[in-house]
Amino acid sequence: MAKTTMAEIQDKLPENSKGKYYVDRNCIDCDVCRDTSPANFTRNDQNGYSYVWKQPQTPEEAELCEEALMACPVEAIGEDGV
C-alpha cells in the first residue's frame, strides 16, 4: 500500500543534494533513513536532522531511498525534488 502523503518541497532542507529525493524540516532525527540507505542520507549533527547528501546513482541505491521514504515515521522524505 503506497503512502498518499509525503514531505513538502517548500519545506525542503537546504543541505539536500539537488535531485529527486529530499528531506523536509519535519525530520525528527530517528535514524531510519540513515540506517536504511547510509550511502545517501546523513545527519546534520549541529541541528539534529537527516538530509540527502548524495542522490542515488544505482538502482540499488534508488530502491533503498524509496524504502527509506516509505519507512519514515513522519513522512519527511520526498521524491519530487529538483
Side-chain angles (χ1 to χ4, degrees), residues 2-8 69-70 74-78:
K3 282 188 177 183
T4 57
T5 60
M6 69 173 148
E8 298 291 336
L69 181 150
M70 297 301 288
V74 295
E75 299 174 342
I77 301 172

Side-chain angles (χ1 to χ4, degrees), residues 3-18:
K3 282 188 177 183
T4 57
T5 60
M6 69 173 148
E8 298 291 336
I9 191 77
Q10 66 269 19
D11 293 332
K12 179 179 171 181
L13 294 167
E15 294 93 338
N16 285 291
S17 171
K18 185 176 181 178

Side-chain angles (χ1 to χ4, degrees), residues 15-78:
E15 294 93 338
N16 285 291
S17 171
K18 185 176 181 178
K20 180 178 181 177
Y21 292 95
Y22 64 93
V23 177
D24 76 7
R25 64 186 170 104
N26 290 313
C27 178
I28 59 170
D29 198 28
C30 70
D31 291 335
V32 168
C33 63
R34 296 189 310 267
D35 287 345
T36 303
S37 185
N40 303 99
F41 292 88
T42 194
R43 183 175 193 263
N44 178 312
D45 291 327
Q46 183 176 10
N47 296 313
Y49 55 75
S50 296
Y51 63 94
V52 177
W53 75 274
K54 182 178 78 89
Q55 293 293 326
Q57 297 176 338
T58 66
E60 292 80 14
E61 286 183 355
E63 185 176 316
L64 290 173
C65 285
E66 192 64 27
E67 186 177 325
L69 181 150
M70 297 301 288
C72 180
V74 295
E75 299 174 342
I77 301 172

